[in-house]
Structures are given as structure tokens and as C-alpha cells.
Amino acid sequence: MSAKDRVTAYVCTNAGGSHKVPMALIGKALNPRCFRLGQPHALYMSQKNVWSDSATFKRWCEEVFVCHVRRAASRPVALVVDNFGAHTADITDPRGQIHVLALPLNCPVVHQPMD
């Protein structure tokens, strides 16, 4: 593994830590060798530069986060994200159960516990 090899991970939990949303990974390989033995327990997305963009974030929201919220919660849920442009993409919930809230610009790390 060279110094240029990277992976991006989406992690999410409720404030108390009792409900953990399944993790998602973004890597460079289309079909990583580590997944040949079986299906991963996380959503894997491939992207050339291994960055999070609005398309991958929206896919994670639709395929992982929304499904998990529908199974685990009946009350409204707030998804608090940093102010990165890809994370504030047009994420809408037709049921109105999920609200995306972006932290203010230059928010200190002490207020971003998943960072």
C-alpha cells in the first residue's frame, strides 16, 4: 500500500450511540479483492479520486440512511452534517421524517464529534 492509497468512510449514529447506521466506504477499485470472499457488511462505492461528492452522498442517504431510519425510528430525525458542499446536496424526504441540518462554516472540531 503506497502513501497515495485512500478510502473514505461514511459513519453515522444517533447522539446517544445506541443506533448505528451501517457504514459506507468509497474506494478506487471497482471490485476490491478483499470482498471476493463474501459480501461486505457496508455499502461500497467506487470512485476514481476516492472523494465524497454529491452523487455518492445522495446514494448513501437513499440506500443506507433512509432505509435505516425507516426501520429504526418513527419520529422525525435530524441528519447533522458539516458544511461541505457535497453533504448539503439536495436531500429531500417525501415523508418529511428526515431533516438535513448543516453546521455553520468554520465550526470547531469540538462540535463535530464524528470528524
Side-chain angles (χ1 to χ4, degrees), residues 39-94:
Q39 283 295 103
H41 295 286
L43 172 67
Y44 178 80
M45 298 174 275
S46 173
Q47 189 171 4
K48 185 177 179 179
N49 56 14
V50 194
W51 293 342
S52 174
D53 63 4
S54 58
T56 56
F57 184 71
K58 190 168 187 167
R59 180 177 171 201
W60 173 79
C61 279
E62 292 171 354
E63 293 182 24
V64 178
F65 184 74
V66 172
C67 295
H68 182 78
V69 167
R70 297 279 190 259
R71 283 191 310 267
S74 58
R75 299 184 310 180
V77 173
L79 175 61
V80 181
V81 297
D82 58 5
N83 210 331
F84 178 55
H87 297 164
T88 57
D90 185 28
I91 306 297
T92 57
D93 180 20

Side-chain angles (χ1 to χ4, degrees), residues 1-16:
M1 192 162 152
S2 71
K4 296 281 183 175
D5 291 339
R6 290 180 170 74
V7 66
T8 299
Y10 288 146
V11 292
C12 183
T13 184
N14 68 337

